[in-house]
Amino acid sequence: MIENIVFGAFPYVVVVLFLFVTIQRYRARGFTVTSLSSQFLESRALYWGSLPFHIGIILLFFGHFIGFLIPREVMAWNASPLRLVVLEVTALAAGLLALVGLVLLILRRLTHARLRAVTSNADTLLYAVLLAQIATGLYVALVHRWGSSWYTAVAVPYLKSLFVLEPNVKLLADLPLMVKVHIAGAWVLFAIFPFTRLMHILVAPVPYLWRQTQVVIWNRDRRKLRRVAANEKT
Amino acid sequence: MDIRAQVSMVFHLDKCIGCHTCSIACKNVWTDRKGAEYMWWNNVETKPGTGYPTAWEDQERYGGGWTQNGDVVQLRVNGRFRGLANIFHNPKLPVIDDYYEPWTYRYQDLFDAPASDDQPTARAVSLITGEPMNIEAGPNWDDDLGGSPVYAANDPNRAAMTPQEREMMFEVERLTFFYLPRICNHCLNPACVAACPSSALYKRGEDGIVVLNQERCRGWRLCVSACPYKKTYFNWATGKSEKCILCYPRVETGQAPACFHSCVGRIRYLGILLYDADKILPTATMPDAELVEAQRAMILDPHDPEVIREAEKNGIHPSVIESAQKSPVYKFVKEWKLALPLHIEYRTLPMLFYVPPLLPVLAKKADTYDTATEDLWAPIEEARLPIEYMASLFAAGNVGKVRHAMKKELAVRYFRRHVTVGDVPAARVDAMLAEVGSSREEAEAIYRLTSLPLFDERFVIPPSHREEAVEALESPFEFRGATGFGFREKPTRGL
């Protein structure tokens, strides 16, 4: 019963919450969407925390995402033991990077008085959820080996069943407890996403790579003015 | 030719008395808020000195501005790829201690303290943490050469001077300084705009004011390190960057910006310049020594019929062109060649120009200092603050440009002495003026605009013609009484 709620119903609540609140926050309170960087108040310790954390967490995110998108190809890659080990070691290293970075970031928040002035309750909650999520992920990686293979066989079908609106919770029934906790934690993370600074992920400045160097904005919308003038003539 | 208009500025340093009224006017209007307490969009520094934030001119440390690479310019640290790579931790970002930790006092303690033999004191408390703190830095900690052995001694511009000259600056009887008021330069090639990954910073097409859209800002902080003048600031409370907006709500309604309006020494001039936007890149890639002249060449003569025709073709309103013709900035920068840009070697093409100070009038001599009684004023070559130092600030090391400006200023002084007192022979005055390619008419004009300008001569503010932008498209009644600023939502910190 509880599993039906957590893995069957809760994800849909999360998705609705995620979409609705995210869009609403961006539209109505767009000013609050920022990275909320605290580097200005403390720079040195941030380097040792932020860099490994972000590199680790980005690798992990794309690892999970690619496994979901192309499970067959990942299985094919894992067919060779050497390649499997390479993938697993990379994933483990990313997890350790993220954990070390996050622990350093938490310690940094605790030890610098100035940072307490810019640490909200949402930040505290986010740190706790992230720490739990990375810790359970690492536990699963170490105790229940070869996740890159069984993830594609067990978790991906479950996720796909959610997508086609026929949630198949039974797929998860036999999984070890920590794996279940990890999956539930992922939904919690998505649920709190729009209420925290995680919003900054959605505004990652990728278009900067191809936009023009300088930005000039004209007060007069010349094209619109010309159109208005043309309409007046007719 | 792609002619655009730019609201530009001249600060006449010979008139600056370092009173900080400009800074206070700005502070009261714009930055008296949580998270912005440490910001001084307008600040006044003592030179020689390290300024605010400390040693902002040291680009090895802060990585601001552009570097020339063949026929292109590159941001010194925050290029596209490197900028994004530095997004998780920006190694060149100044931190609060490079400015100062803002504080207030527990004034209530003065009232609440129990009766005692000692005077009650108001303890200083940090405006960030709220905890008691020891004040170790301030917005103007080295004002009037305070702490020279630490601050003035580390002025990056001292590299331009000889060791002997540097020594002399620390002899108490020969100390000399001047004030350098700084605001955002509203550059033609702004590094902050180019560095912003979110495209939150932009240059306004009509008047060239560089502003930052805080609703688009995501706090990536690259603008702070990219601006070589350190004139974009990070608001630690809202998590957004902020910068000088040249009081555009005032400029749009025909008023001078707060710092200009309040200037006690009346050192500030504001006016429009027409320039050729096609020349931005070729100018920014010139060798250091040619930058000042190249920037002047970009600025176009608003009386030239060809320029007027091209400007009108580009949508510049005739009233703006007329305003450009009356611009005091055009006179100081282009006609008289008296005003020079600050650190143009950063290649942002700043549009705030400085008339270098002639003061102090005492000369340096081998082992004494001259009270200059034999002649009225010491020659420029013997200026107490070496001309190389000035050239390092105002001409990318090109001594000739500074010498020309200062000689002309001196010639004007002699000319006025000749007119008012009459103890300087006419031939000498004419020779001095001729040496800098000037004339009595020009000297008189320089004198009048320097010493006796009326308010409307100092600030020739172009009409913004917002009616053109709005009326054709929207109902003007909706915009009645609006000045075009303010938040649509409260600028509160996000979760």
Side-chain angles (χ1 to χ4, degrees):
Chain A
M1 183 59 201
I2 183 95
E3 291 193 359
N4 274 338
I5 293 172
V6 172
F7 300 115
F10 185 50
Y12 290 105
V13 176
V14 167
V15 169
V16 172
L17 199 68
F18 178 87
L19 288 178
F20 184 77
V21 181
T22 303
I23 293 170
Q24 189 54 28
R25 178 169 169 191
Y26 190 86
R27 285 173 44 158
R29 302 202 50 210
F31 185 85
T32 64
V33 179
T34 141
S35 61
L36 289 181
S37 165
S38 57
Q39 190 187 351
F40 184 68
L41 297 179
E42 198 292 320
S43 186
R44 193 168 298 192
L46 181 78
Y47 175 81
W48 297 105
S50 174
L51 222 52
F53 170 73
H54 278 99
I55 293 170
I57 207 84
I58 288 171
L59 284 174
L60 290 172
F61 173 79
F62 281 104
H64 286 69
F65 192 58
I66 289 167
F68 172 68
L69 280 187
I70 46 167
R72 279 164 203 278
E73 285 75 3
V74 174
M75 295 280 248
W77 169 275
N78 281 348
S80 149
L82 180 66
R83 290 192 299 206
L84 173 66
V85 170
V86 168
L87 185 62
E88 286 280 319
V89 168
T90 312
L92 187 64
L96 287 172
L97 264 182
L99 181 72
V100 169
L102 187 65
V103 168
L104 289 175
L105 286 176
I106 291 172
L107 290 176
R108 168 177 175 269
R109 288 267 167 185
L110 292 174
T111 48
H112 290 91
R114 284 174 186 169
L115 294 178
R116 279 201 285 279
V118 292
T119 305
S120 65
N121 293 338
D123 292 337
T124 313
L125 174 70
L126 180 60
Y127 274 127
V129 174
L130 272 176
L131 188 65
Q133 191 64 356
I134 294 172
T136 53
L138 275 170
Y139 177 88
V140 169
L142 290 169
V143 177
H144 313 295
R145 291 276 169 78
W146 322 124
S148 60
S149 282
W150 60 252
Y151 166 75
T152 54
V154 182
V156 171
Y158 159 67
L159 287 172
K160 286 197 171 148
S161 76
L162 287 177
F163 257 83
V164 295
L165 302 181
E166 288 171 9
N168 189 352
V169 181
K170 289 204 177 62
L171 285 166
L172 304 178
D174 298 331
L175 287 177
L177 178 67
M178 272 303 170
V179 180
K180 287 181 183 171
V181 171
H182 189 72
I183 294 173
W187 294 121
V188 171
L189 207 51
F190 275 102
I192 64 169
F193 186 102
F195 302 101
T196 64
R197 62 170 67 205
L198 284 181
M199 287 288 283
H200 77 277
I201 299 169
L202 297 178
V203 290
V206 181
Y208 181 54
L209 290 175
W210 56 81
R211 82 130 207 259
Q212 282 196 324
T213 307
Q214 295 293 5
V215 184
V216 179
I217 295 181
W218 295 83
N219 200 355
R220 263 163 267 183
D221 187 341
R222 295 170 174 194
R223 224 179 301 160
K224 210 169 166 190
L225 278 171
R226 269 198 296 274
R227 207 164 54 230
V228 170
N231 285 344
E232 274 171 4
K233 268 179 203 158
T234 54
Chain B
M1 249 200 295
D2 177 10
I3 298 186
R4 294 186 193 169
Q6 167 78 38
V7 176
S8 314
M9 305 143 274
V10 165
F11 289 0
H12 199 308
L13 296 186
D14 231 4
K15 300 205 284 173
C16 183
I17 57 172
C19 65
H20 302 276
T21 309
C22 45
S23 306
I24 298 300
C26 177
K27 169 63 68 185
N28 284 339
V29 177
W30 297 118
T31 58
D32 191 14
R33 294 171 280 126
K34 190 181 179 198
E37 306 97 340
Y38 84 93
M39 292 181 203
W40 294 84
W41 292 356
N42 180 109
N43 75 303
V44 183
E45 308 177 351
T46 301
K47 281 287 170 192
T50 47
Y52 160 90
T54 309
W56 61 271
E57 290 156 294
D58 183 357
Q59 303 307 341
E60 291 297 314
R61 176 169 165 188
Y62 291 121
W66 303 85
T67 50
Q68 177 212 3
N69 188 356
D71 54 359
V72 292
V73 282
Q74 293 170 323
L75 288 170
R76 198 181 298 268
V77 284
N78 298 322
R80 278 167 212 274
F81 293 97
R82 256 198 301 175
L84 289 194
N86 285 338
I87 218 163
F88 306 125
H89 179 272
N90 181 353
K92 300 286 186 186
L93 184 79
V95 295
I96 185 92
D97 294 317
D98 292 319
Y99 302 81
Y100 68 99
E101 184 168 354
W103 72 88
T104 184
Y105 297 94
R106 278 189 188 145
Y107 294 107
Q108 200 58 41
D109 289 0
L110 298 177
F111 300 95
D112 297 346
S116 155
D117 292 338
D118 303 313
Q119 285 270 13
T121 54
R123 186 85 168 86
V125 288
S126 164
L127 279 170
I128 299 176
T129 62
E131 298 298 315
M133 62 175 274
N134 293 321
I135 301 164
E136 280 161 0
N140 211 33
W141 210 238
D142 57 342
D143 201 19
D144 293 353
L145 292 182
S148 288
V150 182
Y151 293 96
N154 285 307
D155 184 334
N157 299 293
R158 287 173 76 246
M161 305 197 295
T162 66
Q164 192 210 352
E165 284 170 336
R166 274 182 246 172
E167 275 308 304
M168 284 171 69
M169 283 173 59
F170 291 98
E171 293 169 29
V172 171
E173 291 183 322
R174 299 190 201 194
L175 287 177
T176 181
F177 62 85
F178 65 97
Y179 298 107
L180 183 70
R182 300 200 299 121
I183 65 171
C184 167
N185 292 286
H186 298 280
C187 306
L188 294 184
N189 186 30
C192 57
V193 174
C196 176
S198 299
S199 312
L201 281 140
Y202 62 96
K203 197 167 176 66
R204 306 205 318 172
E206 284 80 2
D207 53 18
I209 296 175
V210 177
V211 284
L212 193 156
N213 180 350
Q214 285 202 56
E215 283 183 11
R216 282 197 80 155
C217 173
R218 308 293 176 208
W220 306 122
R221 321 174 295 294
L222 297 183
C223 58
V224 180
S225 49
C227 173
Y229 303 97
K230 292 292 161 280
K231 281 293 170 191
T232 40
Y233 300 89
F234 187 76
N235 182 320
W236 56 266
T238 61
K240 305 265 178 169
S241 290
E242 301 180 7
K243 71 178 288 297
C244 160
I245 58 176
L246 201 62
C247 289
Y248 72 80
R250 290 177 61 90
V251 171
E252 282 177 8
T253 48
Q255 306 169 78
C259 56
F260 284 72
H261 195 118
S262 63
C263 180
V264 172
R266 302 181 180 185
I267 77 156
R268 298 187 177 212
Y269 301 82
L270 185 111
I272 206 105
L273 290 179
L274 301 180
Y275 69 98
D276 184 359
D278 288 339
K279 294 253 178 68
I280 291 175
L281 186 61
T283 305
T285 48
M286 286 283 182
D288 278 356
E290 292 167 39
L291 279 167
V292 170
E293 202 51 54
Q295 191 193 23
R296 273 183 195 152
M298 282 179 77
I299 299 164
L300 302 168
D301 179 1
H303 301 282
D304 182 348
E306 167 77 16
V307 170
I308 294 172
R309 197 165 51 244
E310 286 288 325
E312 284 184 348
K313 218 163 46 175
N314 230 3
I316 296 176
H317 197 278
S319 64
V320 176
I321 298 172
E322 194 191 320
S323 174
Q325 290 168 344
K326 292 188 207 150
S327 167
V329 179
Y330 182 79
K331 294 196 180 96
F332 272 114
V333 175
K334 183 93 174 184
E335 272 182 29
W336 301 336
K337 302 185 189 334
L338 278 176
L340 300 159
L342 178 65
H343 283 303
I344 195 167
E345 71 274 19
Y346 301 156
R347 296 171 192 279
T348 61
L349 307 182
M351 292 309 265
L352 159 57
F353 301 87
Y354 293 88
V355 178
L358 216 45
L359 297 168
V361 288
L362 298 184
K364 69 176 158 65
K365 283 278 155 70
D367 52 356
T368 176
Y369 61 97
D370 187 359
T371 50
T373 44
E374 306 144 32
D375 207 344
L376 288 165
W377 296 285
I380 297 303
E381 287 75 11
E382 290 173 7
R384 274 263 288 282
L385 211 57
I387 202 156
E388 288 80 10
Y389 180 86
M390 292 295 183
S392 167
L393 274 171
F394 299 117
N398 186 335
V399 174
K401 295 289 169 212
V402 178
R403 187 186 292 127
H404 181 270
M406 291 175 80
K407 282 204 156 181
K408 195 180 251 189
E409 284 173 75
L410 196 61
V412 172
R413 269 194 200 191
Y414 273 98
F415 166 69
R416 284 305 301 171
R417 178 84 183 192
H418 166 72
V419 171
T420 54
V421 184
D423 59 351
V424 182
R428 188 175 173 205
V429 168
D430 289 331
M432 285 183 88
L433 287 169
E435 193 192 342
V436 287
S438 188
S439 62
R440 286 180 173 226
E441 291 71 37
E442 190 186 88
E444 182 66 23
I446 293 172
Y447 156 70
R448 295 207 81 83
L449 196 56
T450 302
S451 303
L452 309 168
L454 299 174
F455 194 85
D456 293 340
E457 291 166 331
R458 283 186 283 140
F459 311 125
V460 182
I461 297 163
S464 288
H465 290 293
R466 289 190 65 83
E467 77 283 1
E468 285 208 340
V470 166
E471 235 165 46
L473 307 173
E474 324 276 354
S475 162
F477 295 107
E478 270 179 44
F479 289 84
R480 199 160 48 175
T483 44
F485 77 112
F487 281 90
R488 280 178 289 152
E489 62 177 293
K490 238 179 132 186
T492 43
R493 181 180 175 84
L495 292 165

